[in-house]
Amino acid sequence: MSKTKRIYLDHTAGRFTDSRVIEVMLPFMKLLYGNPSSIHSFGQETRQAVEDARIKIAELISAERKETIFFTSGATESNNIAIKGVADRNKDRGTHIITSSIEHMSVLNPCKFLMTNGFKVTFLPVDKYGFVNLERLKEELTDDTILVSIMYANGEIGTIQPIKAISQIVHTKNAYLHVDATAANGQVPLDVKGEGIDLLTLSSNDMYGPKGVGALYIKKGTRIKPLVHGGGQERGLRSGTENLPGMVGFGKAAEIAKKELLTENKRLKNLRDKLIKGILDPISHSFLNGHPTKRLPNNVAVRYDFIEGESILLSLDMMGVAASSGSACTTKTLEPSHVLREMGLKHEEAHGSLLFTLGKQNKEEEVEYVIDIMPNIVKRLRVMSPLTPKELKE
Ligand code: PMP
């Protein structure tokens, strides 16, 4: 493989937009610009396009009707509306919320904000694979609990939570279940009815749609308040003139995901397992983060003792490979990821972690290239590291 070739293996941090999605968006940037709320024909044609997109998203997650889908500006906003909107509307019934300690910051921080406003929040621990402790969930759930928010899958470690089992526990009480499916959507089949989900966060870019648009599924009858007040768009839940090209593009991305998901899922799993084996087996003191099988099809999260993930990342970048040392949202702080620490990894173990996330343009030869170059990268860095035992340096 040519050294100038660039290999992108950081799809959790950002994805390209599918060209079929861009094609359907373009007319809505050039020709179809009427405000969907206007009653003239320009508005009517764009309204139809927004509603068609809503149907496609509802179909992707087996939602009962399109009116359960609310467009937002992305996963962060959907999570904020779900958590703060449900909390505010239901505080007459209770003030207790449960979440997990490995959620994304857009779930953890709204929960922490609510703690400064009279709510109590329980952060459930996880085991060494990142699975939420279901016994603790049962114990913590009370008549005062109004909401439980657990992610479908964690993008940093790949582990997929047993959402149906969680939903059955949550619904023994009067609480709602919110699920952040950002890392999972477009990768695994989602079924809000079958899995008993009351609110579900979706992100367009995570399924090769445009950035800056997301959605929140809200089961009919769920008590929730808006955070943004204005002209009353999205049935009053999320005011603001519609992001027309974004919504249409998201709809197309959902349609493509529904059609191609199972085939792509299988292809990615093969690449994933080949990469995991190829970069762990030949290298001693190397480990997989997250569960070996109950993990996202595109997720290869590993760690190497005695060296830092950032150093591996830089070496890989020099060889044309883009990966990540963890959550793109927190890498700027250089603090080890809270997710890895909560799984019980020591500070230095968490620091030695590396994340490859595959996407639909990745080919087998790219995975083989990474498998080829990793042993030397790790060896060279271990030789330089003061933490490496002498016998490993020889
Ligand atoms: N939830 C999860 C699980 C995520 O991985 C992310 C980051 N992609 C978000 C929420 C936030 O997404 P965004 O920054 O697009 O709003």
Side-chain angles (χ1 to χ4, degrees):
M1 183 169 303
S2 135
K3 276 202 176 153
T4 53
K5 184 157 171 80
R6 298 169 75 213
I7 300 175
Y8 189 76
L9 294 172
D10 195 13
H11 289 85
T12 288
R15 288 172 196 255
F16 60 91
T17 303
D18 189 304
S19 56
R20 293 166 290 180
V21 169
I22 297 174
E23 232 163 80
V24 301
M25 289 173 70
L26 284 176
F28 292 90
M29 293 169 169
K30 290 180 176 168
L31 305 165
L32 300 163
Y33 45 78
N35 187 318
S37 300
S38 303
I39 57 166
H40 47 60
S41 63
F42 288 78
Q44 289 315 299
E45 53 195 13
T46 53
R47 165 59 55 202
Q48 191 55 50
V50 168
E51 296 315 311
D52 287 348
R54 212 186 293 281
I55 290 172
K56 287 171 185 161
I57 294 163
E59 283 172 354
L60 178 70
I61 60 168
S62 301
E64 62 271 27
R65 48 211 282 275
K66 74 174 170 66
E67 287 74 18
T68 56
I69 305 296
F70 295 82
F71 284 107
T72 66
S73 65
T76 295
E77 188 185 353
S78 297
N79 285 342
N80 270 268
I81 298 176
I83 294 164
K84 294 191 278 193
V86 164
D88 196 23
R89 179 67 180 82
N90 293 279
K91 58 180 185 248
D92 55 334
R93 292 199 296 124
T95 55
H96 180 225
I97 293 167
I98 299 177
T99 188
S100 89
S101 54
I102 61 160
E103 298 297 310
H104 187 262
M105 290 302 166
S106 57
V107 166
L108 292 178
N109 285 340
C111 286
K112 287 178 187 164
F113 168 80
L114 288 172
M115 288 166 78
T116 65
N117 282 270
F119 290 87
K120 299 179 291 294
V121 181
T122 302
F123 298 90
L124 293 176
V126 296
D127 68 13
K128 64 176 179 172
Y129 295 119
F131 289 121
V132 168
N133 187 322
L134 299 191
E135 287 313 308
R136 278 292 296 279
L137 172 61
K138 281 182 203 158
E139 282 163 29
E140 298 288 347
L141 204 63
T142 70
D143 291 336
D144 191 42
T145 313
I146 48 174
L147 178 70
V148 177
S149 180
I150 304 288
M151 66 198 335
Y152 200 95
N154 187 296
E156 243 179 278
I157 51 166
T159 300
I160 299 174
Q161 301 295 338
I163 292 297
K164 198 167 177 179
I166 291 172
S167 138
Q168 281 163 353
I169 297 170
V170 170
H171 292 136
T172 57
K173 295 280 179 193
N174 214 3
Y176 293 121
L177 174 63
H178 166 243
V179 174
D180 174 5
T182 308
N185 62 191
Q187 290 211 62
V188 290
L190 297 170
D191 176 355
V192 285
K193 266 188 290 171
E195 296 187 88
I197 296 168
D198 301 307
L199 302 107
L200 183 85
T201 289
L202 296 165
S203 157
S204 155
N205 188 235
D206 288 81
M207 52 176 106
Y208 304 98
K211 297 184 200 297
V213 58
L216 180 63
Y217 158 83
I218 307 175
K219 188 177 166 187
K220 189 170 181 284
T222 303
R223 299 168 93 215
I224 189 162
K225 263 193 183 175
L227 304 186
V228 174
H229 301 91
Q233 288 89 345
E234 294 301 285
R235 303 197 1 263
L237 188 78
R238 205 284 186 170
S239 286
T241 301
E242 290 84 348
N243 169 5
L244 198 48
M247 292 172 178
V248 171
F250 187 6
K252 184 68 184 177
E255 180 193 311
I256 296 171
K258 188 172 165 63
K259 241 185 264 158
E260 298 179 356
L261 190 145
L262 290 181
T263 334
E264 182 59 5
N265 184 318
K266 206 166 149 216
R267 191 188 76 90
L268 285 177
K269 268 187 187 161
N270 283 335
L271 287 186
R272 175 195 75 185
D273 293 341
K274 179 169 181 153
L275 184 55
I276 290 176
K277 193 169 161 45
I279 61 175
L280 292 186
D281 283 2
I283 305 175
S284 69
H285 301 81
S286 62
F287 308 90
L288 180 71
N289 287 337
H291 194 271
T293 54
K294 288 175 183 149
R295 67 186 300 124
L296 291 171
N298 78 331
N299 184 289
V300 177
V302 292
R303 63 178 198 277
Y304 296 97
D305 280 350
F306 321 121
I307 53 179
E308 302 235 321
E310 272 79 18
S311 319
I312 311 175
L313 210 58
L314 291 175
S315 304
L316 283 169
D317 191 37
M318 285 196 293
M319 309 281 286
V321 180
S324 159
S325 59
S327 161
C329 328
T330 48
T331 40
K332 274 179 241 85
T333 65
L334 281 184
E335 272 300 302
S337 146
H338 69 285
V339 177
L340 301 174
R341 295 302 307 278
E342 290 295 336
M343 284 161 59
L345 293 191
K346 292 198 212 89
H347 197 274
E348 58 277 18
E349 289 174 318
H351 264 304
S353 290
L354 189 66
L355 174 64
F356 298 96
T357 41
L358 298 152
K360 62 183 173 185
Q361 280 181 345
N362 290 134
K363 304 268 184 304
E364 189 154 5
E365 67 190 66
E366 297 180 316
V367 163
E368 282 163 359
Y369 176 70
V370 177
I371 293 172
D372 268 359
I373 63 174
M374 271 305 272
N376 274 339
I377 292 178
V378 173
K379 188 160 195 234
R380 193 176 53 80
L381 294 171
R382 280 187 175 162
V383 166
M384 291 190 295
S385 166
L387 300 175
T388 311
K390 208 163 142 250
E391 61 277 13
L392 270 188
K393 292 197 181 191
E394 280 144 18

